[in-house]
Amino acid sequence: MFARRLREAREACGISQRILGIKIGLDEFVASARINRYEMGVHQPALPIQQRLADALGLPLAYFYAESDALARMIARFGPER
């Protein structure tokens, strides 16, 4: 669930994997590969990285774990939790 929603959110923002990685503090030389692994579900990011991804994409962390797409859209409308 997390991987698919991460990719959808990034694409909706119109930013590359590399740019997203750099925005959350990854080294520019590994940023694209790391985000790609998260989006493919090869690796699950640690909770602090998940929160940075959510913040960078302007979404609440709960969006990435909503049980349905309809619920995810509702959560996204409320914006970040902070």
Side-chain angles (χ1 to χ4, degrees), residues 3-78:
R4 180 174 61 88
R5 290 239 169 82
L6 176 59
R7 171 169 279 169
E8 290 171 357
R10 179 186 58 77
E11 289 175 349
C13 286
I15 61 175
S16 68
Q17 292 174 335
R18 180 177 176 271
I19 296 300
L20 178 57
I22 291 169
K23 283 180 80 167
I24 66 164
L26 298 177
D27 183 271
E28 66 180 290
F29 298 107
V30 301
S32 181
R34 181 87 61 91
I35 298 300
N36 182 268
R37 288 184 185 113
Y38 295 156
E39 289 182 357
M40 296 300 292
V42 174
H43 294 291
Q44 180 77 14
L47 187 58
I49 294 173
Q50 291 178 22
Q51 187 62 61
R52 286 189 293 192
L53 287 164
D55 291 344
L57 295 167
L59 292 165
L61 185 56
Y63 165 84
F64 298 95
Y65 292 99
E67 294 178 8
S68 70
D69 290 339
L71 180 57
R73 285 189 298 272
M74 289 175 56
I75 291 169
R77 284 188 208 134
F78 285 101

